[in-house]
Amino acid sequence: GLVGYMIPSDEPVDTSEADELKQKIVQLQEFSMPMDPFELFLLLDSDIIKFDWHTDINEQYQETYPLTTEVVSPGQQGDWASTVMTAIQSDSPIDVALGLDPWQLGERGAYLDLTPYIETYSRKDDVLPGLYEATTLDGKIYAQPNLALSYQIFYNKNAFDKAGVPYWTDPNITWDEFEDLAKSLTKDFDNDGEIDQYGFAMFHRTDFRMGGFAAWLMGNGGRLWDEDFKTPLWNSPEAIETAQYLQDLVYKHKISPVPTAGEAGFRDSRSLFIDGKAAMVISYTGFFRGFNSGNPDLIDNWGVINIPYNEVPIGIMFGTGMTIVSNSEHPYAAWKWIELYNSDKYTLQAAKETAWIPGYSSLINDWTVAEAYGDFTPIKELVPVIAEQSLGQFILGQDNAKEPQTTE
């Protein structure tokens, strides 16, 4: 009989149909829930999983998607990047993760591009200005923002009253205006030669976090590094002018005590404010929560101003967001958890517990923490200004890729 056989050919094999089918299968997996029982694994910060609302989210998720056998959320502290990359290399699937370092890990292939999900997300246009930009690199969105945290100057209205100084009502303030204001608030009430009330409690920190030196430098039109992160610009005219201004506030104008370095200085400056020894201080959004126990006289007697600037107003804002790790076996199920996490109910619960800012414009005026912490109207009024001026440069622990300002 005859034996049939294929003659080898130099012509390329057309695999377009097979590739298209594979792509459709991948897309189907990306936009459909698992058909079999599955486990969802969350890699979240230990400070998040301690809250009741975190447990409530997981319970509601399992009720909504009954094929979910378990939502595993052990909590994580420490080196985030190493934990994620090790899990990927060891083939230990992670579904949802706190979206820290979205550009660095996204570029390394650790996080999925969430753009396909966000394109159909009903709340995408409600997200605060700049937040998506801070999680986007080369057109890929690597995290869905949820809560934000801003830094601004808090001022004690009682201290203003004692000094006979009108409250500052503009959201922004220039260097010259801030210097004059702090001078007018610095008082020796008993004329014994010792300052009883400083106008400002400064702390020493180099980078932009917490409103340190780099934040003032950016408000002066400067930066710490060139665009390629190769040349330090700490001796630029803008940097020298900024350093001289801050030094003069302490040693020449004496509107602030000599600051302590680092984290201790940040704590010390806030203590001076709480104790009524300084009229103004830089702190984070939820700082007012401590007024109940630290100094009840401050409750409903405080205001906020944006970080002082010389050339251009800037905003300092960080935030939290969630992402899907690239080795997730259930990416669409992971996205549905993220959607639930970002619902009004849980976003507001998280804001109340943490005193962070909801990452959605529609929720700013519905930030239901007043019952627990008093009137926070000053923060609600300043937040949109800070969000607009931050341009997403300081969300999720990173600066904007076009305007790097970190010392790390």
Side-chain angles (χ1 to χ4, degrees):
L2 298 175
V3 177
Y5 62 95
M6 295 290 294
I7 300 175
S9 171
D10 294 331
E11 293 295 323
V13 178
D14 184 3
T15 62
S16 58
E17 290 187 8
D19 292 340
E20 185 178 347
L21 179 60
K22 288 181 181 178
Q23 183 65 29
K24 287 182 178 178
I25 293 174
V26 170
Q27 290 176 347
L28 185 63
Q29 291 173 336
E30 289 180 346
F31 289 94
S32 61
M33 293 295 292
M35 301 298 291
D36 298 314
F38 68 97
E39 178 182 275
L40 198 71
F41 190 92
L42 315 179
L43 185 67
L44 307 181
D45 191 277
S46 298
D47 289 336
I48 292 178
I49 67 171
K50 67 182 180 182
F51 292 113
D52 290 340
W53 49 264
H54 173 260
T55 303
D56 294 342
I57 291 173
N58 293 340
E59 290 178 353
Q60 183 175 337
Y61 184 88
Q62 287 186 268
E63 291 174 2
T64 306
Y65 305 106
L67 286 178
T68 313
T69 57
E70 187 177 5
V71 177
V72 181
S73 184
Q76 165 71 19
Q77 295 254 334
D79 190 343
W80 200 265
S82 294
T83 300
V84 173
M85 295 307 298
T86 299
I88 293 174
Q89 292 163 4
S90 62
D91 197 25
S92 301
I94 298 173
D95 296 300
V96 177
L98 189 64
L100 298 179
D101 299 323
W103 295 321
Q104 176 193 0
L105 292 177
E107 194 171 32
R108 293 170 66 183
Y111 296 158
L112 290 185
D113 175 13
L114 302 186
T115 304
Y117 300 116
I118 292 171
E119 284 178 346
T120 59
Y121 183 41
S122 61
R123 306 193 65 183
K124 65 177 181 178
D125 294 331
D126 192 29
V127 172
L128 283 175
L131 298 198
Y132 274 135
E133 286 84 345
T135 68
T136 301
L137 182 65
D138 297 330
K140 298 179 180 179
I141 304 175
Y142 288 115
Q144 170 60 43
N146 177 254
L147 300 176
L149 181 71
S150 61
Y151 282 86
Q152 54 276 308
I153 288 178
F154 281 77
Y155 67 82
N156 183 345
K157 290 184 176 180
N158 295 323
F160 276 62
D161 293 340
K162 286 174 64 177
V165 176
Y167 307 144
W168 191 267
T169 56
D170 194 292
N172 294 310
I173 188 168
T174 67
W175 281 8
D176 290 341
E177 291 170 334
F178 181 74
E179 179 185 316
D180 291 341
L181 181 63
K183 285 179 179 177
S184 66
L185 291 165
T186 302
K187 297 293 182 182
D188 173 13
F189 291 115
D190 54 13
N191 297 313
D192 64 352
E194 299 289 334
I195 294 177
D196 300 305
Q197 174 179 288
Y198 284 97
F200 179 53
M202 187 184 295
F203 63 91
H204 176 74
R205 189 178 174 100
T206 306
D207 64 3
F208 63 78
R209 289 173 171 82
M210 303 181 184
F213 174 76
W216 297 77
L217 174 58
M218 285 183 282
N220 194 30
R223 54 191 299 142
L224 292 176
W225 299 88
D226 69 358
E227 293 185 4
D228 296 325
F229 266 96
K230 294 180 179 179
T231 305
L233 303 177
W234 296 26
N235 61 347
S236 66
E238 294 86 358
I240 293 172
E241 182 181 24
T242 302
Q244 188 65 60
Y245 174 80
L246 294 174
Q247 185 185 53
D248 286 348
L249 291 181
V250 177
Y251 293 100
K252 180 179 179 180
H253 307 302
K254 302 185 185 303
I255 59 90
S256 171
V258 177
T260 307
E263 295 286 346
F266 187 54
R267 290 192 297 270
D268 290 348
S269 65
R270 290 182 295 166
S271 295
L272 287 169
F273 180 83
I274 290 286
D275 294 341
K277 297 178 181 178
M280 296 185 290
V281 70
I282 293 178
S283 195
Y284 60 92
T285 311
F287 180 44
F288 65 87
R289 291 188 305 169
F291 298 164
N292 283 354
S293 58
N295 184 352
D297 290 339
L298 275 169
I299 299 174
D300 301 339
N301 284 305
W302 53 275
V304 285
I305 316 170
N306 206 359
I307 304 293
Y309 73 96
N310 191 40
E311 293 293 334
V312 56
I314 55 101
I316 305 297
M317 187 176 282
F318 298 89
T320 65
M322 295 294 169
T323 190
I324 303 173
V325 179
S326 59
N327 71 345
S328 169
E329 295 180 344
H330 315 292
Y332 188 68
W335 173 251
K336 299 309 288 185
W337 189 94
I338 292 174
E339 278 193 337
L340 182 60
Y341 175 77
N342 280 271
S343 65
D344 285 6
K345 176 183 177 180
Y346 294 118
T347 298
L348 289 173
Q349 284 188 18
K352 180 176 179 178
E353 293 288 344
T354 63
W356 282 44
I357 306 161
Y360 296 94
S361 300
S362 64
L363 297 183
I364 291 296
N365 291 321
D366 191 20
W367 188 18
T368 54
V369 298
E371 60 190 76
Y373 308 122
D375 183 14
F376 53 93
T377 299
I379 287 289
K380 291 194 296 184
E381 293 177 345
L382 187 62
V383 161
V385 176
I386 293 177
E388 195 68 45
Q389 292 174 176
S390 76
L391 299 178
Q393 292 181 28
F394 313 107
I395 310 298
L396 300 165
Q398 302 247 27
D399 331 48
N400 189 300
K402 297 179 181 178
E403 294 292 336
Q405 300 287 345
T406 183
T407 58
E408 296 178 356

